[in-house]
Amino acid sequence: MVEKEKVGGTCLHRGCIPAKEFLETATVFRTVAGAKEFGVQADQPGLDFATSQARKQKVVDQLWKGLQGLMKSRKITTVVGTGSLHKNKLVKVDDGTELKAKHVIVASGSVPRTLPGFDVDGKYVLTSDEMLALDELPSSAAVIGGGAIGCEFASMMSDLGTQVTILEVLPKLLPGCDKDVVDVVARSFKKRGIDVRTGVKVDGHEPANGSTTVRFGDGDSVTVDAIVMSVGRRPLSDNLGLDGTAVEVDDRGFVVVDEYCHTGEEGVFAVGDVINTPQLAHVGYAEGILVMNQLLGEDAVPVEYGKVPWAIYCHPEVGFAGPSEEAAREAGLDVVVSKHRWGGNGRALIIGDTEGLVKVIAEKGPDGTPGRLVGVHSVGPWATEGFVEGWLAVNWEATVAEVAHLIHPHPTLSETFGDTVLAFSGRGLHG
C-alpha cells in the first residue's frame, strides 16, 4: 500500500469520524440544556470546544492505531509517499520506491472543493479539513453549500452557539433528499435561528477588522467571522501519472470504470471517491470488497448504487435508501406512499424528540395494491440507525405484505417504520 499521510484516509482523519464526534458534542449540549424537562436539575451548559477537539482526536487515534495493528497482523507493507501509475503496472513512489504487481487498485480519494473568490486561508475561509481542526468555534459563520456536509456543520455550530447562515445555490437544502424530509430539516433550522438562503449564488467576500462580508444573491451580503466551504469534494486524480496506460480520466477528474470497477487498463481497478459513484465511506468499502472478490475468483456482484444507504447526521438526523417520491415518479414508477410522524411513537415521546417522520414508497402492483418497497426515508430521532431495516427491505426487494407481517418490539422507534408499512393496508395503528 502506498499512503502519503495516515492509513484510514479522509473518513477516519478528516471526515466521517471527527465530524460525527463534534455532532455528538452538540447532542450532549442539547441534552444537558433540556435536562430540567426530565426533572434533572442542571445548570445551563457551557462549552470548552478544545476538550471536544481532544476527545475527537482520542477517538480518531484509537481507530487509527487499531487499523495499523490489523494491517500489521496481515503483513501489509505500507510505503509512505505519493504514488503514480505507469505502463506495465509500474507504480513509482516519490521517495524513489518502485513497485510492480499483477493487479493495481487506485484509491486516491478526494479533497474539498472551493469556489472562485474563496481561497482557503484557514482564517476566514475554511473547508471541512480546517473546520475539524478548530479549538474554538467562530461566533458567526456562513456555510456555503446546503448539502449533507453543510447541514451537518451548520447544525453542530448552531447548537453550540454560533450564529449560522446557510447559502445554497439550488432551490432547496439537501439536494437529492425527499421533499418531505427536507421540509422537516428546514423547519427545524428556522426554529433554531439558522438563516437559510436557497437559490442564491455567492460572489466573493471582503475581509475587514477581523470579520468578512460575503456577497450573494442580488446585492445581498452577510458579515461573519468565518466562511465554511461545503460545496462538495473533487476526485484527487491530479498526480496519478497514467502515461502509457489505458486508464482514462473524465473532464471532472474521475477515473473511468465499469460496473466492476475495472479501468481501461487490464488488471487495474479504481474504487472510492476517485470514481464517479456516491462519495460515501461505506460505498468505497463495498467497492473494495467487489474488487477483492474478483481477485480471489469469487462471485462478484456489482454495487447497486441506487439502493445504497445514506445517513446525514444533522439535527434532526436523516437516513434513506432508494429514490425519493419525486425521483420514483420521474423514473416512471407507479408508486404509493405511506408516512407517519413521530408524535404517536411512545419511545419518541419518552426521549422528548418527536420532530420528523418516516416515509415509505412502494411500487403499485398489477392489482392496484402496494407491492415491492422501493424507497424508505426517515428524518428525526436516531434516523441514521433506525432506517436500516428499511434499507434492508428495499435491497431485499421485500413487499409491503411481507414487511407488514413482522412484529416490532414495543416501545421502540422502529415501530414507526412497521406502522408506516402496515398503514398501506389501512390497518395501521395510527393510520
Side-chain angles (χ1 to χ4, degrees):
M1 173 176 284
V2 179
E3 170 56 51
K4 69 174 182 177
E5 294 180 56
K6 297 178 177 179
V7 295
T10 294
C11 175
L12 177 53
H13 297 285
R14 299 177 302 280
C16 318
I17 300 300
K20 278 50 174 180
E21 200 286 332
F22 289 148
L23 282 155
E24 191 62 25
T25 296
T27 297
V28 173
F29 193 94
R30 284 197 315 272
T31 301
V32 175
K36 291 181 180 178
E37 294 180 22
F38 294 82
V40 178
Q41 299 304 312
D43 293 333
Q44 178 63 27
L47 177 66
D48 179 1
F49 197 69
T51 298
S52 183
Q53 179 66 256
R55 184 179 188 275
K56 176 269 287 186
Q57 198 58 46
K58 182 179 178 181
V59 171
V60 169
D61 288 346
Q62 182 173 337
L63 290 169
W64 174 48
K65 290 172 183 176
L67 180 57
Q68 287 180 302
L70 288 171
M71 293 180 67
K72 184 177 180 181
S73 70
R74 286 160 172 76
K75 298 181 172 58
I76 298 171
T77 300
T78 302
V79 179
V80 179
T82 300
S84 57
L85 179 64
H86 302 267
K87 64 180 180 180
N88 300 321
K89 291 188 277 290
L90 172 66
V91 175
K92 295 182 179 180
V93 186
D94 55 5
D95 70 348
T97 303
E98 294 192 354
L99 305 167
K100 288 201 73 175
K102 186 177 179 181
H103 301 98
V104 177
I105 301 172
V106 178
S108 52
S110 61
V111 291
R113 294 182 185 275
T114 188
L115 295 173
F118 292 92
D119 294 333
V120 179
D121 57 15
K123 180 180 180 181
Y124 295 114
V125 183
L126 318 173
T127 68
S128 55
D129 288 357
E130 292 78 26
M131 183 69 201
L132 294 170
L134 294 177
D135 284 327
E136 185 177 353
L137 290 177
S139 60
S140 60
V143 176
I144 299 180
I149 297 172
C151 283
E152 287 185 354
F153 279 137
S155 180
M156 179 270 290
M157 288 191 294
S158 175
D159 284 345
L160 296 177
T162 301
Q163 180 59 51
V164 178
T165 301
I166 298 177
L167 304 174
E168 167 58 50
V169 68
L170 294 177
K172 68 174 187 177
L173 293 176
L174 298 175
C177 285
D178 190 273
K179 181 181 183 301
D180 285 327
V181 169
V182 175
D183 287 347
V184 171
V185 174
R187 283 195 300 268
S188 175
F189 280 13
K190 182 178 181 179
K191 185 167 62 178
R192 288 149 61 196
I194 299 174
D195 185 10
V196 178
R197 305 291 187 93
T198 56
V200 296
K201 184 178 180 180
V202 294
D203 183 29
H205 71 107
E206 296 177 5
N209 303 319
S211 60
T212 188
T213 299
V214 183
R215 301 184 300 273
F216 66 92
D218 188 16
D220 289 333
S221 65
V222 60
T223 300
V224 293
D225 292 337
I227 301 166
V228 182
M229 298 301 297
S230 301
V231 291
R233 301 180 64 86
R234 65 173 181 84
L236 186 55
S237 57
D238 308 356
N239 299 311
L240 289 179
L242 308 180
D243 292 339
T245 76
V247 179
E248 293 181 43
V249 176
D250 69 17
D251 56 3
R252 297 172 60 197
F254 291 107
V255 174
V256 178
V257 295
D258 65 10
E259 62 179 340
Y260 289 93
C261 294
H262 297 139
T263 68
E265 180 79 11
E266 180 68 28
V268 178
F269 301 82
V271 301
D273 285 3
V274 78
I275 66 176
N276 192 14
T277 56
Q279 292 183 322
L280 301 167
H282 44 279
V283 168
Y285 187 79
E287 290 165 346
I289 292 173
L290 171 64
V291 171
M292 295 313 301
N293 287 153
Q294 295 170 76
L295 300 191
L296 294 171
E298 300 174 353
D299 289 339
V301 180
V303 178
E304 288 193 70
Y305 294 108
K307 295 182 179 180
V308 300
W310 292 77
I312 304 170
Y313 297 79
C314 58
H315 178 70
E317 288 189 351
V318 174
F320 69 95
S324 65
E325 180 181 353
E326 305 98 306
R329 296 190 190 281
E330 286 174 6
L333 294 177
D334 188 8
V335 296
V336 287
V337 172
S338 176
K339 49 191 174 184
H340 274 66
R341 297 194 173 274
W342 292 106
N345 181 281
R347 187 72 185 276
L349 287 164
I350 289 167
I351 66 175
D353 192 352
T354 59
E355 191 173 38
L357 54 81
V358 173
K359 180 175 182 177
V360 179
I361 303 164
E363 193 170 21
K364 192 182 292 184
D367 60 356
T369 61
R372 177 176 62 97
L373 270 64
V374 296
V376 58
H377 304 265
S378 181
V379 54
W382 286 95
T384 58
E385 300 283 351
F387 87 103
V388 172
E389 63 173 321
W391 161 81
L392 184 62
V394 167
N395 278 268
W396 218 309
E397 298 186 342
T399 65
V400 165
E402 289 168 339
V403 176
H405 183 70
L406 302 175
I407 301 170
H408 285 78
H410 173 79
T412 62
L413 296 172
S414 67
E415 287 178 279
T416 296
F417 170 71
D419 205 43
T420 305
V421 175
L422 193 60
F424 277 118
S425 66
R427 297 174 181 175
L429 179 62
H430 302 100

